[in-house]
Amino acid sequence: MSSSDLQSLFEPRGVAVIGASHSPNKIGYRVVDNIAKGGYRGGIFPVNPKGGRIAGIDVCTSIHSVIGDVDMAIITIPAVHVFDAVKNCAKRGIKHLVIITSGFSEIGNTAEEKKIVAFARNNGMRVLGPNIFGLYSSKVSLNATFGPKDIKPGNVSIITQSGAIGIAMVGKTKVENIGLSSIISVGNKSDLDETDLLTYLVDHDDTRMILMYIEGISGGHRLVETMRRAASRKPVVVIKSGRSARGAMAAASHTGSLAGADDVFDDIARQCGVIRAERIEDALNWCKFLAEAPQPKGDNAVIVTNGGGIGVLAADACEKYGVQLYDDADSMRETFAGEVPDFGSTKNPIDLTGAATESDYDGALGAALKSDRIDSVICLGCETAVFDAAKFSATVKKKYGEYRGKKPVVFSMFGGEEVEEGVGALRREGVPVFEDVYDAVSCLGSLYAYRRAALISQAEPDPVTIDLRTINRIVDDVHAQGRHFLLANEAREVMNAVGIAVPASCIARTIEDAIGAAKSIGYPVAMKILSKDIIHKSDVGGIALDLENETEIIEAFESIMYSCRRAMPRARIEGVEVAEMITGGVETIVGARRDASFGPIVMFGLGGVYVEVMKDVRFRAFPVSKPEALSMMSEIRSYPLLLGVRGEEKKDIDAAANAVLRVGTIIEECPAISDIEINPLTVFDQGEGIRAIDVRILLRQKGSER
Amino acid sequence: MSSSDLQSLFEPRGVAVIGASHSPNKIGYRVVDNIAKGGYRGGIFPVNPKGGRIAGIDVCTSIHSVIGDVDMAIITIPAVHVFDAVKNCAKRGIKHLVIITSGFSEIGNTAEEKKIVAFARNNGMRVLGPNIFGLYSSKVSLNATFGPKDIKPGNVSIITQSGAIGIAMVGKTKVENIGLSSIISVGNKSDLDETDLLTYLVDHDDTRMILMYIEGISGGHRLVETMRRAASRKPVVVIKSGRSARGAMAAASHTGSLAGADDVFDDIARQCGVIRAERIEDALNWCKFLAEAPQPKGDNAVIVTNGGGIGVLAADACEKYGVQLYDDADSMRETFAGEVPDFGSTKNPIDLTGAATESDYDGALGAALKSDRIDSVICLGCETAVFDAAKFSATVKKKYGEYRGKKPVVFSMFGGEEVEEGVGALRREGVPVFEDVYDAVSCLGSLYAYRRAALISQAEPDPVTIDLRTINRIVDDVHAQGRHFLLANEAREVMNAVGIAVPASCIARTIEDAIGAAKSIGYPVAMKILSKDIIHKSDVGGIALDLENETEIIEAFESIMYSCRRAMPRARIEGVEVAEMITGGVETIVGARRDASFGPIVMFGLGGVYVEVMKDVRFRAFPVSKPEALSMMSEIRSYPLLLGVRGEEKKDIDAAANAVLRVGTIIEECPAISDIEINPLTVFDQGEGIRAIDVRILLRQKGSER
């Protein structure tokens, strides 16, 4: 869908309200009233068979009697009547149905919802909702909601899945003096979803930043791509609720079950450059700050404080929120010499001492803001015996006024009543000041998070060529046998088809064969009995490891045959498998799957027995570029094992990254395959490659949504 | 020190202010004025050679001219004059010196501070400070600070290391309507420190809960014991700043360097039952709530909400703050049937839908508060089209009034201006209501954290008998050789002396010796060349592993001798070491050290090569009981490895716990030993014990503070 399709949702020429009500308590009245009082610049057409006037506007008795351009119908009538109304809208040439009415899929009434959407799409209409509180668009001053009036226009757009949180956020933004360019409630997302809206808002000139409240995600790959594109253009803050365990996906493979869906979302949000907030309060603070603040030119932040205690707390907060404190002592001594009183400190945090006056602040804060070597400033005021909240506020206001567009700066003031009043007054002036230092620093942290996001390489994915024909042939064979998983040898064939090395192995029926096999593979080798009748090979003496020469091959072959025949006289024995012996290396896990929320995703982590215990894994939406795969790998806690600890060689990280790209490509190009997991994928020293030791491949079950 | 010694600090019969000033801007004036206006019930004696009246009180020209009982001298004169004043105080029989003056150890003037304290202690006086803002004690209405007036009396005591944060907190508690029983600034802690004050406050009837702001800790074992005793009596909330990397300890062993001091503090705070806050704002919210709320009878929390969105956010917050949501669906259906409107939910969170009215809240909230099966309640109101903040507030106020002493309940209201006003009004009434659901849930979480703390077993430490004489003999030998570390064989001897098993080994000079040794140790064995001249044994073929019988012993002995002689013809070879071959088991790390802040501490974690990489370790202050050692062990992420993963046997956790108790006992009983680290300590299957494979023991360097 091109984004221009949605322009008439944000800028309709006229809106009809189907279900307009004469009763001021009804939603159908409030919507008309909000549109009228909101100063909407297009035609307003309340529709009600009874006619009359609602909120001072003439009522049309039906949608057909509407005279004039009308692009949008807002529907507030009961669910059972909605489909008929939608049919009438189609005849009237409506482009957008905004269905506020609830009582559809959210209570199990899914069929009716699907019917409405199918009809609408077939007739060139798009559906927002149902089960929403409406939408607001500042461009045409359209408040088509039953929420608060007097929405403050501005440059923040909000997309919300929860209607109640949307209404409350409108109220809260008013209190916090945050201006909106739009707020859209997506409700059941029967047709238009957050991805569609985000796509439009990326190019929306009036929107400087985007806030999303999400509960469930269904956009798949398209959402990932859109989030990434959006975040490269403007800050995107996301509150995703449902972090807790109940939200975790049940899935057949580790790639699904090792982490809850929330960990996957966390990783993918970071991959896309989207900033995640936990609390609504933080999200709104960040939005207000991000919509105003200039970009920092570099990482060097400086704290200016009159209290050692709050200085240390702020330094702690900087570590928590990813703000880097400038630590060039010489440069700071130079910058702040003469600005810091006796017993103060020119080290970061710059300590003006409890005796600091407004002129000390004026000097030190001014020096920090002026310095080319300092990129952002955190200025703190703690109530002391001599602290004057009013004078501090005046200094803050003056300095913020001078530098607000030039350098990011946040403030915190902590203390009693006068301080609280001072904070309130400054906030009303638009100064980013908070009572708790953590809130101030978290705002600056959100700005740096956005800066890092903007620096994320938008490198094109690295395409990998795989032998799709072979894979499809194997999959067809497996399907033909009614299986949904691949046998070990089939999985090895798939690995061969994509160029992921597996341990070399040969089948040998005689001692001579075995000797020849070992010679071609290279010593040491392992040997296993080959028999469909013997499942637990080691229990019957069917395995020999670490065979180093011809003599040991002969001994092992004879011993295996003897033991197996004695233990299971009736087993049909086809010979032995002679395989490369794998020793050393780091055991990792590499996985890929088709995720219901994000489309193809890849996973990398610490493998072997530690995988379930340490849950040391990371995720990315696929496709990814090679640098991105490497960056995912570097995020696992046990990454130092790959870099080489205790004097060990660095491992072949590059080969492992290639394996990640290859399993991702399989999932992307073979819709029949749902899950791949290699555990362990043993990574040898640099230049010596990898081996996929154990490979599990699952096929999509027919009728499965995944 | 018995706590009664400090009674006269909190309840002095009279106070002198040495440095009382006629100038209202001076600290020496403000303190007198605050004491006078604060309504102090004892004698007030401003001391100033000039005489006259200050803040309406007659001035004494010297401390000697004070007539009446005087237990405390508050000193505000410049640092250079303090020692003379202290000498005069000694003559006058003063018990407590409250030295507000700064300019001592905090700026390097340590000698003067030490001189003052030594003199004071020798003359029966205790010192609070220097470099403080004073103290407040509600019992005698004494506001001996230069901070705000009109401190609200109540039942929260605050101990603060930062004067500025203390002053600001006084202001903030006034705004938040939090009553104080005392606030004490400890500053440089030259004599009295947080441990002394905490000791007193444990038995202080007026104090229902204690808030501490700490930067550095020096109390050692005494602090740990006091925190534990305090937390078993009343809630103790601690803000410890300096989390960031700069605060990390530099130490010789992993036990010190594996985690920053902050991780150690985190573990020990939990061990003591102390509740840790990151932000001052949270700490104050919790204090206010904890000082009022009744204890929950059980874990079952229920959320009542009118919005699905904030319900999910609250459920997320519950997981974050350790609040358990009740999930007996039948019981809840029974409790809430008839109270929840159509389309609502009787599952937790109880959803009253966006159409909820105050009577729905009244019913559902009432049902939750009344139910014997529900132990605590989180009630949320989100602004919707029909939400009425005033009516919701009235319901909240009524229900809170009925149940405030009976069942813990917290509230959140989120939305626009009316909601904000409603929250403010309810807070002024003392209702625990917050705008953000996370703040509400975090309060309830602090109550549950305190409940869990109260449930911590106060089990006596399990004493371990060790052969101290042998250990001291070894240590003396090492000292005699001028070393500060033990050699491997010395460390093994120490292990033997405390009953921690090490791999069995014998020295063999001949093949016959080796065969005999292997027989007595039991096959398989390992064999290593024994020569002071051969450091890198494996490089010269000096090691053979996994020897399974006499033939292999003979072959290996000959091969080792041959290889070593050929590679290093001049090496003096004493024979070989034959040792038990260790295979299988889980590699853990066990450590103990004398910590500058906490005294003896023990550590347990995942060992081997993973130790530096995964940093999967936990700490406890020593001594600990066996159950506490086991609880520490169960907190490591890789604990499932000890429980047995993938069908493996459970490991000998009990034997590992005994090893923890034993290394802790060594550190406790041998002051000469500073660090012990066993890595790996291999833990075998249950009943099969442990082996300390590699043991490092360091001695305290002479003159070291540790």
Side-chain angles (χ1 to χ4, degrees):
Chain A
M1 187 187 61
S2 92
S3 67
S4 64
D5 290 353
L6 285 192
Q7 192 176 348
S8 50
L9 181 71
F10 285 80
E11 301 170 30
R13 290 167 302 166
V15 300
V17 181
I18 298 174
S21 168
H22 291 276
S23 160
N25 288 328
K26 288 259 170 102
I27 285 174
Y29 177 90
R30 293 179 65 133
V31 172
V32 176
D33 195 43
N34 276 353
I35 297 173
K37 299 246 169 66
Y40 171 53
R41 290 194 273 276
I44 310 174
F45 308 103
V47 177
N48 183 324
K50 292 181 201 151
R53 285 170 72 85
I54 293 175
I57 297 170
D58 285 334
V59 171
C60 306
T61 54
S62 79
I63 184 83
H64 302 297
S65 61
V66 167
I67 294 163
D69 294 327
V70 55
D71 293 329
M72 178 186 291
I74 296 151
I75 298 178
T76 67
I77 53 178
V80 290
H81 303 305
V82 169
F83 186 54
D84 285 338
V86 167
K87 284 195 280 191
N88 290 332
C89 287
K91 289 181 204 151
R92 185 59 184 77
I94 295 289
K95 293 177 182 162
H96 291 286
L97 300 165
V98 174
I99 308 181
I100 287 178
T101 309
S102 55
F104 292 94
S105 64
E106 83 278 13
I107 58 158
N109 187 8
T110 307
E112 184 75 5
E113 187 174 298
K114 282 195 172 162
K115 188 173 78 174
I116 290 167
V117 172
F119 180 86
R121 296 302 302 262
N122 281 334
N123 288 273
M125 300 185 288
R126 301 301 305 257
V127 180
L128 185 68
N131 187 27
I132 60 176
F133 80 97
L135 87 166
Y136 163 79
S137 173
S138 70
K139 185 88 173 190
V140 292
S141 301
L142 173 65
N143 179 359
T145 76
F146 59 88
K149 296 195 195 318
D150 304 327
I151 300 178
K152 182 182 149 76
N155 48 28
V156 176
S157 269
I158 300 178
I159 302 170
T160 175
Q161 192 169 345
S162 160
I165 284 183
I167 292 175
M169 281 203 284
V170 170
K172 191 74 189 161
T173 53
K174 259 170 74 178
V175 172
E176 292 291 338
N177 215 15
I178 299 171
L180 301 181
S181 51
S182 75
I183 177 163
I184 311 107
S185 171
V186 291
N188 295 1
K189 304 192 272 192
S190 66
D191 174 20
L192 293 173
D193 63 13
E194 55 268 350
T195 307
D196 298 310
L197 295 161
L198 196 55
T199 304
Y200 181 76
L201 292 172
V202 174
D203 301 312
H204 193 236
D205 289 338
D206 292 354
T207 296
R208 275 195 63 177
M209 62 151 305
I210 300 163
L211 169 61
M212 299 171 80
Y213 171 83
I214 307 182
E215 287 172 1
I217 290 172
S218 50
H221 184 217
R222 208 166 55 92
L223 172 64
V224 173
E225 230 175 76
T226 309
M227 287 204 300
R228 190 198 291 244
R229 205 160 59 82
S232 73
R233 299 282 297 277
K234 42 191 84 171
V236 179
V237 174
V238 172
I239 307 162
K240 162 130 182 8
S241 66
R243 282 178 178 264
S244 27
R246 359 188 129 191
M249 284 182 295
S253 74
H254 280 135
T255 315
S257 64
L258 259 185
D262 197 71
D263 293 309
V264 180
F265 181 82
D266 231 35
D267 282 0
I268 292 177
R270 208 170 330 105
Q271 175 185 5
C272 295
V274 154
I275 308 163
R276 186 168 185 188
E278 188 173 63
R279 301 167 171 238
I280 300 179
E281 194 174 302
D282 289 341
L284 291 173
N285 282 342
W286 299 352
C287 282
K288 190 173 177 182
F289 184 70
L290 288 167
E292 284 290 331
Q295 279 296 300
K297 295 198 172 59
D299 285 334
N300 295 330
V302 160
I303 299 170
V304 176
T305 180
N306 69 336
I310 52 168
V312 180
L313 285 169
D316 287 353
C318 283
E319 186 167 282
K320 175 170 181 171
Y321 293 110
V323 175
Q324 284 174 39
L325 290 178
Y326 188 40
D327 62 1
D328 183 330
D330 290 339
S331 157
M332 276 187 294
R333 198 175 312 117
E334 210 176 284
T335 306
F336 294 103
E339 310 294 356
V340 169
D342 291 351
F343 303 138
S345 167
T346 62
K347 284 193 196 133
N348 209 352
I350 308 297
D351 190 349
L352 305 180
T353 79
T357 61
E358 60 278 12
S359 86
D360 293 322
Y361 272 107
D362 193 82
L365 178 57
L369 289 167
K370 208 168 65 187
S371 165
D372 285 340
R373 285 173 289 198
I374 295 170
D375 304 306
S376 58
V377 182
I378 299 157
C379 177
L380 314 174
C382 188
E383 187 174 332
T384 63
V386 303
F387 185 78
D388 185 320
K391 288 181 181 163
F392 177 80
S393 297
T395 306
V396 162
K397 197 176 146 185
K398 186 182 83 177
K399 288 291 168 196
Y400 183 69
E402 285 172 37
Y403 286 90
R404 62 187 300 167
K406 296 176 194 142
K407 189 177 282 189
V409 51
V410 291
F411 301 90
S412 167
M413 209 181 352
F414 179 63
E417 204 173 342
E418 285 165 30
V419 163
E420 200 173 65
E421 282 163 11
V423 168
L426 285 172
R427 287 181 70 85
R428 282 190 293 278
E429 306 266 358
V431 179
V433 58
F434 303 87
E435 293 194 42
D436 200 289
V437 293
Y438 274 80
D439 289 328
V441 175
S442 89
C443 280
L444 193 57
S446 73
L447 187 66
Y448 274 111
Y450 176 58
R451 181 181 147 86
R452 279 190 296 273
L455 297 176
I456 285 178
S457 126
Q458 297 289 324
E460 284 302 303
D462 288 284
V464 174
T465 311
I466 60 175
D467 177 358
L468 204 53
R469 230 170 107 180
T470 300
I471 299 173
N472 283 334
R473 181 188 47 75
I474 297 166
V475 167
D476 289 344
D477 286 354
V478 174
H479 269 148
Q481 295 174 39
R483 266 187 287 125
H484 292 294
F485 59 94
L486 272 63
L487 298 175
N489 61 320
E490 293 162 343
R492 272 201 301 267
E493 267 191 88
V494 171
M495 293 295 103
N496 285 329
V498 298
I500 296 177
V502 294
S505 75
C506 295
I507 290 171
R509 294 181 205 282
T510 64
I511 288 187
E512 291 69 36
D513 279 4
I515 292 169
K519 206 173 272 172
S520 79
I521 289 165
Y523 289 104
V525 296
M527 197 185 287
K528 283 182 211 173
I529 189 75
L530 197 67
S531 164
K532 282 191 180 154
D533 301 320
I534 301 178
I535 309 293
H536 301 291
K537 298 179 169 65
S538 62
D539 293 357
V540 295
I543 294 181
L545 298 174
D546 217 5
L547 308 174
E548 296 196 330
N549 51 47
E550 213 173 295
T551 317
E552 289 187 12
I553 292 279
I554 296 168
E555 274 178 26
F557 189 93
E558 287 176 341
S559 153
I560 283 176
M561 289 299 167
Y562 174 78
S563 308
C564 292
R565 289 215 169 99
R566 198 179 53 174
M568 301 185 69
R570 293 183 185 186
R572 285 156 299 176
I573 292 173
E574 296 160 56
V576 295
E577 186 190 350
V578 180
E580 186 184 357
M581 185 74 205
I582 303 295
T583 51
V586 173
E587 293 194 338
T588 65
I589 182 169
V590 167
R593 64 189 293 262
R594 196 173 305 282
D595 186 271
S597 305
F598 303 106
I601 62 173
V602 288
M603 177 183 81
F604 180 81
L606 183 65
V609 66
Y610 289 98
V611 69
E612 290 126 349
V613 171
M614 303 311 281
K615 290 186 170 46
D616 184 20
V617 292
R618 289 290 184 165
F619 301 87
R620 285 292 185 280
F622 199 81
V624 294
S625 64
K626 181 86 164 273
E628 227 171 299
L630 291 166
S631 138
M632 163 176 70
M633 294 165 66
S634 72
E635 286 172 12
I636 66 169
R637 290 193 302 275
S638 46
Y639 187 61
L641 293 180
L642 292 171
L643 293 177
V645 285
R646 293 197 173 172
E648 277 181 16
E649 285 285 305
K650 189 176 171 184
K651 306 302 165 200
D652 205 331
I653 296 170
D654 192 75
N658 287 336
V660 169
L661 298 181
R662 283 165 187 166
V663 297
T665 305
I666 299 174
I667 289 290
E668 199 178 31
E669 298 195 2
C670 305
I673 296 180
S674 66
D675 294 78
I676 303 178
E677 184 179 297
I678 310 176
N679 183 24
L681 178 97
T682 300
V683 185
F684 299 113
D685 288 352
Q686 190 149 28
E688 295 178 17
I690 52 162
R691 290 294 183 283
I693 308 295
D694 197 357
V695 184
R696 291 176 64 203
I697 299 182
L698 304 180
L699 301 186
R700 182 138 61 154
Q701 310 262 338
K702 270 169 196 154
S704 151
E705 284 291 308
R706 288 224 334 265
Chain B
M1 188 186 61
S2 92
S3 66
S4 65
D5 291 352
L6 285 193
Q7 192 176 346
S8 51
L9 181 70
F10 285 80
E11 301 170 32
R13 291 168 300 166
V15 299
V17 181
I18 299 175
S21 168
H22 291 276
S23 159
N25 289 326
K26 290 258 170 104
I27 285 175
Y29 177 90
R30 293 180 64 135
V31 171
V32 177
D33 195 42
N34 277 353
I35 297 173
K37 298 244 170 67
Y40 171 52
R41 289 195 272 276
I44 311 175
F45 308 105
V47 176
N48 184 322
K50 291 180 200 150
R53 284 171 72 84
I54 293 175
I57 297 171
D58 285 334
V59 172
C60 308
T61 53
S62 79
I63 184 83
H64 303 296
S65 60
V66 167
I67 295 162
D69 294 326
V70 55
D71 293 328
M72 179 186 291
I74 296 153
I75 299 178
T76 67
I77 53 178
V80 288
H81 302 306
V82 170
F83 185 55
D84 286 337
V86 167
K87 284 194 280 191
N88 290 331
C89 287
K91 289 182 206 150
R92 186 59 185 75
I94 295 289
K95 293 178 184 161
H96 291 287
L97 300 166
V98 175
I99 308 181
I100 288 178
T101 309
S102 55
F104 292 94
S105 64
E106 83 279 12
I107 59 157
N109 187 8
T110 308
E112 184 74 6
E113 188 174 297
K114 283 194 171 161
K115 187 173 78 175
I116 290 167
V117 171
F119 180 86
R121 296 302 303 263
N122 281 334
N123 288 274
M125 299 185 287
R126 302 301 305 255
V127 180
L128 185 68
N131 188 27
I132 60 175
F133 80 97
L135 87 165
Y136 163 78
S137 173
S138 71
K139 184 88 173 188
V140 291
S141 302
L142 174 64
N143 179 358
T145 75
F146 58 87
K149 296 197 195 318
D150 304 327
I151 299 178
K152 182 182 150 76
N155 49 27
V156 176
S157 269
I158 300 178
I159 302 170
T160 175
Q161 192 169 346
S162 159
I165 283 184
I167 293 175
M169 282 204 284
V170 170
K172 191 73 188 162
T173 53
K174 259 170 74 176
V175 172
E176 292 292 338
N177 216 15
I178 298 171
L180 301 181
S181 52
S182 76
I183 177 163
I184 310 107
S185 171
V186 292
N188 295 0
K189 303 192 272 192
S190 66
D191 173 20
L192 293 173
D193 62 13
E194 55 270 348
T195 307
D196 298 310
L197 295 162
L198 196 55
T199 304
Y200 181 75
L201 291 172
V202 174
D203 300 312
H204 194 236
D205 289 338
D206 291 355
T207 295
R208 276 196 61 178
M209 62 151 304
I210 300 163
L211 169 61
M212 300 171 80
Y213 171 82
I214 308 182
E215 288 172 359
I217 290 173
S218 50
H221 184 219
R222 208 166 56 93
L223 172 64
V224 173
E225 229 176 78
T226 309
M227 287 204 300
R228 190 199 291 244
R229 204 160 60 82
S232 73
R233 299 282 298 277
K234 42 192 86 170
V236 179
V237 174
V238 172
I239 307 163
K240 160 126 183 15
S241 66
R243 285 178 177 264
S244 27
R246 359 187 131 192
M249 284 184 294
S253 74
H254 280 133
T255 315
S257 64
L258 260 185
D262 197 70
D263 292 311
V264 180
F265 182 82
D266 232 35
D267 281 0
I268 291 177
R270 208 171 329 103
Q271 174 184 6
C272 296
V274 154
I275 308 163
R276 186 168 183 188
E278 188 173 62
R279 302 168 170 237
I280 300 178
E281 193 174 302
D282 289 341
L284 291 174
N285 283 342
W286 299 352
C287 282
K288 191 174 176 182
F289 184 70
L290 288 166
E292 284 290 331
Q295 278 296 301
K297 295 199 172 59
D299 285 334
N300 295 329
V302 160
I303 300 169
V304 176
T305 180
N306 69 336
I310 51 167
V312 180
L313 285 169
D316 287 353
C318 283
E319 187 168 283
K320 175 169 180 171
Y321 293 110
V323 175
Q324 284 174 40
L325 290 178
Y326 189 39
D327 63 0
D328 183 332
D330 291 338
S331 157
M332 275 186 294
R333 198 176 312 117
E334 210 176 285
T335 305
F336 294 102
E339 310 294 356
V340 169
D342 291 351
F343 303 138
S345 167
T346 62
K347 284 191 198 134
N348 208 354
I350 308 297
D351 190 349
L352 305 180
T353 79
T357 62
E358 61 279 12
S359 86
D360 292 323
Y361 272 108
D362 193 82
L365 178 56
L369 289 168
K370 209 169 63 186
S371 165
D372 285 338
R373 285 172 289 197
I374 295 171
D375 304 306
S376 58
V377 182
I378 299 157
C379 177
L380 314 174
C382 188
E383 187 174 333
T384 63
V386 302
F387 184 78
D388 185 321
K391 288 182 181 163
F392 177 81
S393 296
T395 305
V396 162
K397 197 176 147 184
K398 187 182 82 176
K399 288 290 168 197
Y400 183 67
E402 284 172 37
Y403 286 91
R404 62 187 302 166
K406 296 176 194 142
K407 190 177 281 189
V409 50
V410 291
F411 302 90
S412 166
M413 208 181 351
F414 179 63
E417 205 173 342
E418 284 165 30
V419 163
E420 199 173 66
E421 282 163 10
V423 168
L426 285 172
R427 287 180 71 85
R428 281 189 293 278
E429 305 267 357
V431 179
V433 57
F434 303 87
E435 294 195 43
D436 200 289
V437 293
Y438 274 80
D439 289 328
V441 175
S442 88
C443 280
L444 193 56
S446 73
L447 187 64
Y448 274 111
Y450 176 58
R451 180 180 147 86
R452 279 190 295 274
L455 297 177
I456 286 178
S457 125
Q458 297 288 326
E460 284 302 303
D462 289 285
V464 174
T465 310
I466 61 175
D467 176 359
L468 204 54
R469 230 170 108 179
T470 300
I471 299 174
N472 283 334
R473 181 188 46 77
I474 297 166
V475 167
D476 289 345
D477 287 353
V478 174
H479 268 147
Q481 293 175 39
R483 266 188 286 126
H484 293 295
F485 59 94
L486 273 61
L487 298 176
N489 60 319
E490 293 161 344
R492 272 201 301 266
E493 267 191 88
V494 171
M495 293 294 104
N496 286 330
V498 298
I500 296 176
V502 294
S505 75
C506 295
I507 290 170
R509 294 180 206 283
T510 64
I511 288 187
E512 292 68 37
D513 278 5
I515 292 169
K519 206 174 274 172
S520 79
I521 289 166
Y523 289 105
V525 296
M527 197 185 287
K528 284 182 210 171
I529 189 74
L530 197 68
S531 163
K532 282 191 179 151
D533 301 321
I534 302 178
I535 308 293
H536 302 290
K537 297 179 170 65
S538 61
D539 293 357
V540 294
I543 294 181
L545 299 174
D546 218 4
L547 309 174
E548 295 194 331
N549 51 46
E550 214 174 294
T551 319
E552 290 187 14
I553 293 279
I554 296 169
E555 274 177 27
F557 189 94
E558 287 175 342
S559 154
I560 283 175
M561 290 298 167
Y562 175 78
S563 308
C564 291
R565 289 214 169 100
R566 197 179 54 175
M568 300 185 70
R570 293 185 186 183
R572 286 157 298 177
I573 292 173
E574 297 159 57
V576 294
E577 185 190 350
V578 180
E580 186 185 356
M581 185 76 203
I582 304 295
T583 52
V586 173
E587 294 194 337
T588 65
I589 182 168
V590 167
R593 64 189 292 265
R594 196 175 306 282
D595 187 90
S597 305
F598 303 107
I601 62 174
V602 287
M603 176 183 80
F604 180 81
L606 182 65
V609 65
Y610 289 98
V611 69
E612 290 126 348
V613 170
M614 304 310 282
K615 291 185 168 47
D616 184 19
V617 292
R618 288 291 185 166
F619 301 86
R620 286 292 185 280
F622 199 81
V624 293
S625 64
K626 182 86 164 274
E628 226 171 301
L630 290 166
S631 138
M632 163 176 72
M633 293 165 67
S634 73
E635 286 173 11
I636 66 169
R637 290 193 302 275
S638 46
Y639 188 60
L641 293 180
L642 292 172
L643 293 177
V645 286
R646 293 197 173 171
E648 276 182 16
E649 287 285 306
K650 189 176 171 185
K651 305 302 167 201
D652 204 332
I653 297 170
D654 192 75
N658 286 336
V660 170
L661 297 180
R662 283 165 187 167
V663 298
T665 305
I666 299 174
I667 289 290
E668 200 179 31
E669 298 195 2
C670 305
I673 297 180
S674 66
D675 293 78
I676 303 178
E677 182 179 298
I678 310 176
N679 182 25
L681 178 97
T682 300
V683 185
F684 299 113
D685 289 351
Q686 189 148 27
E688 295 179 17
I690 52 163
R691 290 293 183 284
I693 308 296
D694 198 355
V695 184
R696 290 177 64 203
I697 299 181
L698 304 181
L699 301 186
R700 183 139 59 154
Q701 311 260 338
K702 271 169 195 153
S704 152
E705 284 292 307
R706 290 221 334 265

